[in-house]
Amino acid sequence: MMTDPYDISAPVIYDLVLRSRRTVLPDGERPAAVAIAGERIAVIGDYDEPIPAHRTEDLRDLALLPGLVDTHVHVNEPGRTEWEGFATATRAAAAGGVTTIIDMPLNSLPPTVDTAALAAKRAAARGKTWVDTGFWGGAIPGNDTELKGLHDAGVFGFKCFTAPSGVDEFPPLDTAGLHRACTTVAALDALLLVHAEDPAHLHDADSAPDFDRFLATRPPEAETSAVREIIAAARATGARVHLLHLAAAEALADLDAARRDGVRITVETCPHYLHLAAERIPDGATAFKCCPPIRGEANREALWDGLAEGRIDIVVSDHSPSPPGLKTGDFATSWGGIASLQLGLPVMWTEARRRGLALSDLARWMSTGPADLVGLDRKGRIATGADADLVAFDPEREWTVRAEDLLHRHPVTPYDRETLTGRVATTWLRGTPVDTDAAPRGRQLRRSPR
């Protein structure tokens, strides 16, 4: 029988109710039922509470987490789609519990450094994304006048480098250029992302077949020196700055002091810096190469301390894949990027659980925190009114990674054949399970005015 739409006493029947004894809510983990109406979370009730719905699914001891928000993904399309593309990257994201990505302005051709390039990026992504997708702009020498147009067109902020990026079409900013970019970004009240390595402390190597030789070319001083320069620019201009992929824990002391002084700076790190260690990287294993590099065991533990203490804000993938041919056996000449978009959640849980940390910590670092960074108030949280981006996660499941089974474009990852704990069972995007064999439902996102 049809419900009379004008009868206010008629019970509401929700589209879907998901129950889990391990629901990860903003105030912690507890048994709960999450009712979904359309694309949003409508009600959060007790686990056993009767809630009328067209469909109910009881996850029992599977955890229910907010969808991950990954604000550091290199999709590379258009122009280098043979490296990765929107279809492959977002299918891998969904399989890993990531429901929102923000795409970096390089290594696509053209890079997203003006509105025409942004239009080309959006056209390339149209109809190909299995998760919701937004875009960063780029700040490079000579494009200061382009930043306002990109900002008005809805990019989530701007990325720059202080050292060579690895691709000629996206050159770094020198000290004066960094200050100019900060001044422009401050006037827009936008966000500037910075790859922080000081070229004065980087060393060339003709060949580096062993990881130790490569590691010596990019010492911690390259990061700490660049971080001090970035803090000085942010302090002088009032810009809001975000430090990308922190690898050197030594930089945390300067960041702590700057934030105590009111400098608007946040910082991220990545699963590979929190799980891998230089001492365990085989010679010639260039799937492990990234910049800044993976450092030693003691540094990794110091990063974990910083994360647990709230001194590091978020954890994102820095998924930067390439074809196998660019990952030769020489660390000096191979492409520097880790392919890991599908694996961030189990990698982080494998490490977090052995340290006595909780799934709610992962949700704060990998869902809510990144969403808040870019102003996506309806993403990254299980809360009334939020988008119903959700993940059913088995926290007890042990499994072995097989690179050839991953959904990003090429079977290259440093996690190949590694046993991890925790596996994604289902990902819901705005209330509907993601089916990577069906048509993609991802939307393109634009920055909302703050």
Side-chain angles (χ1 to χ4, degrees):
M1 189 171 97
M2 294 287 291
T3 300
D4 182 349
Y6 300 102
D7 181 0
I8 61 173
S9 67
V12 175
I13 301 177
Y14 297 101
D15 295 306
L16 172 65
V17 170
L18 296 173
R19 303 180 189 276
S20 168
R21 297 189 181 104
R22 301 190 65 178
T23 305
V24 179
L25 300 168
D27 59 351
E29 181 183 318
R30 63 176 172 84
V34 178
I36 298 165
E39 297 187 339
R40 297 203 197 176
I41 296 169
V43 170
I44 298 172
D46 293 334
Y47 175 74
D48 294 322
E49 182 178 340
I51 302 175
H54 295 294
R55 290 189 303 117
T56 297
E57 186 171 347
D58 192 343
L59 303 175
R60 301 185 186 278
D61 291 323
L62 291 183
L64 184 64
L65 283 74
L68 273 59
V69 177
D70 195 334
T71 54
H72 196 150
V73 178
H74 293 270
V75 175
N76 305 333
E77 187 176 4
R80 288 192 175 97
T81 311
E82 72 275 13
W83 292 25
E84 186 69 284
F86 286 104
T88 49
T90 59
R91 289 174 75 227
V98 178
T99 51
T100 301
I101 66 167
I102 312 294
D103 173 50
M104 284 292 170
L106 72 163
N107 305 302
S108 55
L109 292 169
T112 315
V113 295
D114 55 38
T115 54
L118 176 62
K121 176 79 75 169
R122 285 176 170 154
R126 195 167 297 127
K128 297 179 183 176
T129 59
W130 269 268
V131 302
D132 289 349
T133 302
F135 305 97
W136 296 109
I140 62 172
N143 85 323
D144 291 351
T145 58
E146 302 289 346
L147 302 188
K148 185 178 187 305
L150 284 164
H151 181 74
D152 292 343
V155 299
F156 285 86
F158 305 96
K159 179 179 183 177
C160 70
F161 283 74
T162 60
S165 69
V167 290
D168 292 340
E169 68 275 3
F170 204 97
L173 300 177
D174 60 15
T175 299
L178 178 64
H179 279 257
R180 281 194 299 272
C182 281
T183 298
T184 301
V185 163
L188 296 171
D189 193 24
L191 179 64
L192 184 67
L193 316 179
V194 190
H195 177 123
E197 289 184 287
D198 183 345
H201 292 276
L202 301 180
H203 313 293
D204 292 329
D206 294 332
S207 178
D210 61 281
F211 186 77
D212 285 346
R213 189 181 304 177
F214 165 66
L215 186 59
T217 69
R218 304 185 95 97
E221 293 78 14
E223 289 189 75
T224 55
S225 176
V227 166
R228 292 184 189 115
E229 181 179 320
I230 293 158
I231 289 170
R235 191 192 305 275
T237 61
R240 190 161 55 96
V241 173
H242 180 71
L243 185 68
L244 297 168
H245 46 48
L246 180 69
E250 293 96 319
L252 287 172
D254 287 306
L255 290 163
D256 293 342
R259 293 204 269 204
R260 284 195 299 269
D261 289 345
V263 176
R264 298 197 295 169
I265 189 165
T266 50
V267 60
E268 70 184 38
T269 192
C270 305
H272 42 273
Y273 300 128
L274 295 164
H275 181 64
L276 304 172
E279 293 89 341
R280 294 186 282 113
I281 296 178
D283 291 348
T286 53
F288 290 82
K289 181 182 176 180
C290 57
C291 299
I294 295 159
R295 305 197 185 277
E297 299 266 6
N299 180 83
R300 183 189 65 188
E301 294 309 311
L303 289 176
W304 269 107
D305 290 343
L307 188 60
E309 294 162 1
R311 302 162 69 203
I312 297 173
D313 299 282
I314 64 173
V315 178
V316 289
S317 71
D318 189 11
H319 177 70
S320 185
S322 66
L326 294 182
K327 287 287 195 181
T328 67
D330 191 326
F331 284 98
T333 57
S334 291
W335 177 255
I338 299 284
S340 61
L341 183 57
Q342 191 171 336
L343 299 173
L345 184 55
V347 167
M348 285 296 294
W349 181 235
T350 298
E351 291 292 337
R353 75 196 302 259
R354 71 173 58 141
R355 291 171 167 80
L357 296 163
L359 287 170
S360 55
D361 295 313
L362 265 60
R364 184 173 69 256
W365 299 327
M366 304 181 78
S367 299
T368 314
D372 289 348
L373 177 75
V374 295
L376 290 174
D377 298 336
R378 296 210 314 261
K379 300 291 188 184
R381 68 208 78 219
I382 300 179
T384 302
D387 286 353
D389 297 345
L390 301 163
V391 181
F393 182 68
D394 185 345
E396 306 302 324
R397 172 86 178 273
E398 288 195 351
W399 62 289
T400 300
V401 177
R402 291 164 45 93
E404 62 270 27
D405 294 338
L406 300 177
L407 298 183
H408 62 256
R409 185 172 296 279
H410 296 290
V412 178
T413 180
Y415 301 106
D416 188 34
R417 274 32 184 197
E418 185 162 351
T419 298
L420 301 175
T421 302
R423 191 154 195 183
V424 171
T426 307
T427 301
W428 290 265
L429 178 66
R430 289 178 276 103
T432 299
V434 177
D435 179 357
T436 55
D437 292 324
R441 296 179 53 254
R443 291 177 180 163
Q444 293 190 20
L445 304 175
R446 295 174 186 244
R447 174 194 53 81
S448 298
R450 286 181 175 267

